[in-house]
Amino acid sequence: MRKPVMAGNWKMYKTPAETCSFFQTFRPLVEAAEHCDIVICPPFVNLAAAVESARGTRIKIGAQNLYWAKEGAFTGEVSGPMILATGAAYVIIGHSERRQYFGETDETVLKRTLAALDAGLIPIVCVGERLEQREAGATETVLCQQCQKGILSLEPARFAKVVIAYEPVWAIGTGKTATPGMAAEAHGIIRREVRNRYGDESAREIRILYGGSVKPENTKALMAQPEIDGVLVGGASLDPVSFASIVNYHS
Ligand code: PEP
């Protein structure tokens, strides 16, 4: 059985004070949630406040990006060892907003993934097709290409540490959720590629999250799909009550 990962991506929202206030409400609401791993990914400037606020709980903290060099003259960038030193354990890589607005490519996704693994962080690597690619019937080709140029080029021991997030770009922040069936079909394609590259055991163990307008009302149906091993949630993770009900989707 794969343990679900319920992850929140706060994007560019919240200050350190707002982060602390979120955790005050959120912590007791998910105290009993042992069925899943819980991850919150705030902006860099809130990592320390989030780590401190989550201390003594099972909630883990992640960053939303990293740069592949360990240190150097790279103004504005943050490295894996720096993120690890805050007490964070995860990092989102290749989010579609990074691909769309900040020039992220499959090649840079791979570089960042390797840097995250080198630093001892768990990368949550995002893949997903744009609307025009889905409409042109190219979803499978796009997913296979993103996987092959990225995570599937990792050596097996390193690949085992990765979490994959399938995030159809047309569903992110738009209120349009992929139906559970559409999401499961895409997850099946990704898992098949993993099986072809690393074998049955890896395909059974790899966790693939769905992301794209996940809300308390649609989480149960998504999570009922055996292919879906958790969710990566943007907008609905900003409110502690809303994200807690996503975490506690089964109750
Ligand atoms: C995301 O930011 O990864 C995301 C899926 O956003 P939203 O849930 O708001 O669509």
Side-chain angles (χ1 to χ4, degrees), residues 122-142:
I122 301 172
I124 301 177
V125 182
C126 303
V127 294
E129 79 287 1
R130 296 194 307 272
L131 182 61
E132 67 274 18
Q133 293 169 324
R134 175 161 283 267
E135 286 175 347
T139 300
E140 180 166 353
T141 313
V142 170

Side-chain angles (χ1 to χ4, degrees), residues 123-193:
I124 301 177
V125 182
C126 303
V127 294
E129 79 287 1
R130 296 194 307 272
L131 182 61
E132 67 274 18
Q133 293 169 324
R134 175 161 283 267
E135 286 175 347
T139 300
E140 180 166 353
T141 313
V142 170
L143 292 179
C144 292
Q145 183 176 318
Q146 288 177 343
C147 289
Q148 273 154 20
K149 286 192 173 172
I151 37 181
L152 297 184
S153 51
L154 296 171
E155 48 190 71
R158 310 197 89 194
F159 175 77
K161 302 200 166 85
V162 169
V163 173
I164 302 174
Y166 166 62
E167 297 211 311
V169 179
W170 49 270
I172 297 176
T174 58
K176 288 182 199 152
T177 320
T179 62
M182 280 159 92
E185 190 185 356
H187 285 216
I189 292 168
I190 297 167
R191 207 176 297 282
R192 180 199 68 204
E193 292 301 297

Side-chain angles (χ1 to χ4, degrees), residues 9 11 95 97 126 167 171-175 211-214 232-236:
N9 169 22
K11 313 192 187 211
H95 190 279
E97 286 153 15
C126 303
E167 297 211 311
I172 297 176
T174 58
S213 298
V214 174
L232 179 55
V233 187

Side-chain angles (χ1 to χ4, degrees), residues 96 126 247:
S96 68
C126 303
V247 169

Side-chain angles (χ1 to χ4, degrees), residues 82-147:
M82 290 170 182
I83 293 167
L84 190 78
T86 68
Y90 287 77
V91 59
I92 298 172
I93 293 176
H95 190 279
S96 68
E97 286 153 15
R98 304 260 4 132
R99 293 180 190 254
Q100 204 174 341
Y101 306 129
F102 302 101
E104 189 83 77
T105 63
D106 292 334
E107 288 71 27
T108 57
V109 167
L110 179 59
K111 282 177 151 188
R112 291 182 214 280
T113 305
L114 289 165
L117 292 166
D118 283 345
L121 294 164
I122 301 172
I124 301 177
V125 182
C126 303
V127 294
E129 79 287 1
R130 296 194 307 272
L131 182 61
E132 67 274 18
Q133 293 169 324
R134 175 161 283 267
E135 286 175 347
T139 300
E140 180 166 353
T141 313
V142 170
L143 292 179
C144 292
Q145 183 176 318
Q146 288 177 343
C147 289

